[in-house]
């Protein structure tokens, strides 16, 4: 199932090129979209049959006529993987003489939830004199409270997947500072529930800046795949329903500037774009 938030944070299900309004089927408070989403995630098996039955009668809108919102608007935390593709490590060393460790030694870092924006929103660059890069990533949302979950069991705790852009100012400051400016975490276009994805560790994805293909990779090349990263994160902290984990970017990162259009596409999930401007 593709679960979307649209217009005034109304919950919907995407079918082909239509959005079906399910706000009359599941309990929902548009003033508290994250709280409502977590309730839906935690009780999804209970609501799923009602949603399936109700779709035949739900109000329907053309996808291109609605405003898509961030599918996870305000998680308690965003847990991010640093240097999780070896070829990305190579390019960072080449471009910035940054001979750092991979995720195996670095662990993870946190991004500010306030940096989240949605499809067709605008990334606001905070500096005109510093390089800011795009980073395309596969992300997922936690389905139930998790602590010390082994990789072999992690799939049971992942509710669904979506695309994420980890926008990054280059420099010597710590990652959380360079990656947490407002608008620096575009996500979307919707959550695809894990049963529709199957194996997340074999997904191709691509990123374009305007018409230029910058990144093209497959999650099969992750150093820590989705499940191993879940294990590592849950070993350090309790993961709550609605939290976001994002798996890191492959090679091909590059600068963005005012006027650019950045588009990310992931197999079996979908695609979305954001614009770029100055703050």
């Amino acid at each position: 199932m593709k679960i979307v938030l649209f217009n005034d944070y109304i919950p919907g299900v995407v079918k082909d090129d239509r959005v079906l309004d399910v706000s009359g089927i599941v309990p929902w408070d548009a003033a508290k979209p994250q709280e409502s989403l977590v309730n839906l995630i935690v009780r999804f098996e209970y609501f799923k049959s009602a949603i399936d039955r109700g779709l035949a009668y739900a109000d329907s809108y053309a996808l291109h006529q609605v405003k898509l919102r961030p599918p996870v608007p305000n998680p308690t935390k965003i847990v991010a993987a640093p240097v999780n593709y070896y070829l990305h490590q190579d390019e960072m060393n080449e471009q910035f003489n940054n001979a750092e460790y991979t995720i195996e030694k670095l662990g993870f870092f946190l991004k500010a939830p306030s940096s989240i924006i949605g499809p067709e929103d605008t990334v606001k660059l905070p500096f005109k004199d510093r390089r800011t890069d795009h980073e395309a990533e596969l992300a997922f949302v936690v389905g139930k409270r998790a602590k010390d979950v082994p990789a072999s069991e992690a799939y049971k705790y992942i509710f669904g997947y979506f695309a994420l852009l980890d926008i990054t100012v280059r420099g010597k400051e710590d990652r959380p500072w360079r990656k947490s400016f407002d608008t620096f975490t575009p996500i979307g276009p919707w959550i695809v529930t894990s049963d529709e994805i199957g194996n997340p560790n074999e997904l191709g994805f691509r990123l374009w800046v305007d018409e230029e293909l910058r990144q093209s990779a497959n999650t099969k090349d992750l150093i820590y795949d989705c499940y191993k990263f879940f294990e590592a994160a849950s070993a350090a902290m309790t993961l709550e329903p609605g939290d976001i984990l994002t798996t890191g970017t492959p090679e091909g990162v590059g600068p963005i500037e005012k006027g650019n259009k950045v588009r990310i596409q992931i197999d079996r999930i979908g695609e979305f774009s954001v614009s770029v401007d100055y703050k």
Side-chain angles (χ1 to χ4, degrees), residues 46-93:
Y46 174 81
F47 291 124
K48 187 175 185 298
S49 59
I51 294 172
D52 287 337
R53 291 192 305 270
L55 290 180
Y57 310 101
D59 291 337
S60 173
Y61 306 91
L63 188 57
H64 71 272
Q65 292 181 327
V66 303
K67 168 62 177 174
L68 298 184
R69 300 296 184 176
V72 184
N74 190 26
T76 64
K77 49 189 170 290
I78 304 170
V79 186
V83 195
N84 202 13
Y85 293 83
Y86 285 118
L87 290 179
H88 176 50
Q89 181 191 33
D90 291 344
E91 76 174 352
M92 289 296 98
N93 290 342

Side-chain angles (χ1 to χ4, degrees), residues 3 5 7 16 28 39-40 50 80 103 108 122 126 141 149 176 195 243-244 247 249 253 272:
I3 299 172
L5 301 185
N7 292 351
D16 299 320
W28 197 266
N39 181 56
L40 174 59
I103 188 173
F108 58 80
T122 301
V141 60
V149 174
D195 60 306
D243 283 350
I244 291 173
T247 56
T249 198
V253 303
F272 73 91

Side-chain angles (χ1 to χ4, degrees), residues 63-265:
L63 188 57
H64 71 272
Q65 292 181 327
V66 303
K67 168 62 177 174
L68 298 184
R69 300 296 184 176
V72 184
N74 190 26
T76 64
K77 49 189 170 290
I78 304 170
V79 186
V83 195
N84 202 13
Y85 293 83
Y86 285 118
L87 290 179
H88 176 50
Q89 181 191 33
D90 291 344
E91 76 174 352
M92 289 296 98
N93 290 342
E94 180 179 339
Q95 293 185 39
F96 303 108
N97 295 316
N98 190 3
E100 59 188 340
Y101 294 116
T102 69
I103 188 173
E104 296 165 300
K105 294 290 182 68
L106 292 170
F108 58 80
F109 62 95
L110 299 177
K111 293 192 69 171
S114 55
S115 65
I116 287 174
I117 58 174
E120 302 303 326
D121 286 341
T122 301
V123 172
K124 297 294 184 70
L125 304 179
F127 306 109
K128 294 184 179 180
D129 58 349
R130 290 186 62 172
R131 173 171 164 171
T132 300
D133 286 358
H134 60 76
E135 298 188 3
E137 307 192 9
L138 171 70
F140 54 87
V141 60
V142 176
K144 56 183 177 179
R145 180 172 291 178
K147 183 69 175 78
D148 295 321
V149 174
S152 61
E153 299 290 311
Y155 72 95
K156 299 177 182 178
Y157 292 80
I158 297 174
F159 178 72
Y161 298 85
F162 51 90
L164 180 147
L165 295 173
D166 180 18
I167 308 300
T168 305
V169 173
R170 295 299 169 200
K172 295 183 178 180
E173 299 89 352
D174 284 346
R175 281 181 174 85
W177 186 89
R178 293 187 289 110
K179 294 171 174 279
S180 286
F181 288 90
D182 288 352
T183 76
F184 268 30
T185 312
I187 63 173
W190 38 67
I191 301 168
V192 182
T193 53
S194 57
D195 60 306
E196 285 201 11
I197 293 297
N199 182 3
N201 301 310
E202 57 177 19
L203 296 175
F205 63 103
R206 289 148 290 278
L207 179 141
W208 295 261
V209 175
D210 299 327
E211 299 304 316
E212 178 189 1
L213 178 64
R214 293 271 188 91
Q215 294 183 272
S216 180
N218 194 292
T219 56
K220 67 183 180 182
D221 296 321
L222 284 163
I223 300 171
Y224 276 17
D225 68 18
C226 294
Y227 302 147
K228 179 63 175 176
F229 184 44
F230 195 102
E231 176 183 82
S234 72
M237 64 179 70
T238 300
L239 302 175
E240 299 290 350
D243 283 350
I244 291 173
L245 277 71
T246 186
T247 56
T249 198
E251 72 279 8
V253 303
I256 54 176
E257 57 188 33
K258 179 179 179 178
N260 284 154
K261 193 82 165 181
V262 183
R263 177 165 60 100
I264 181 173
Q265 185 271 332

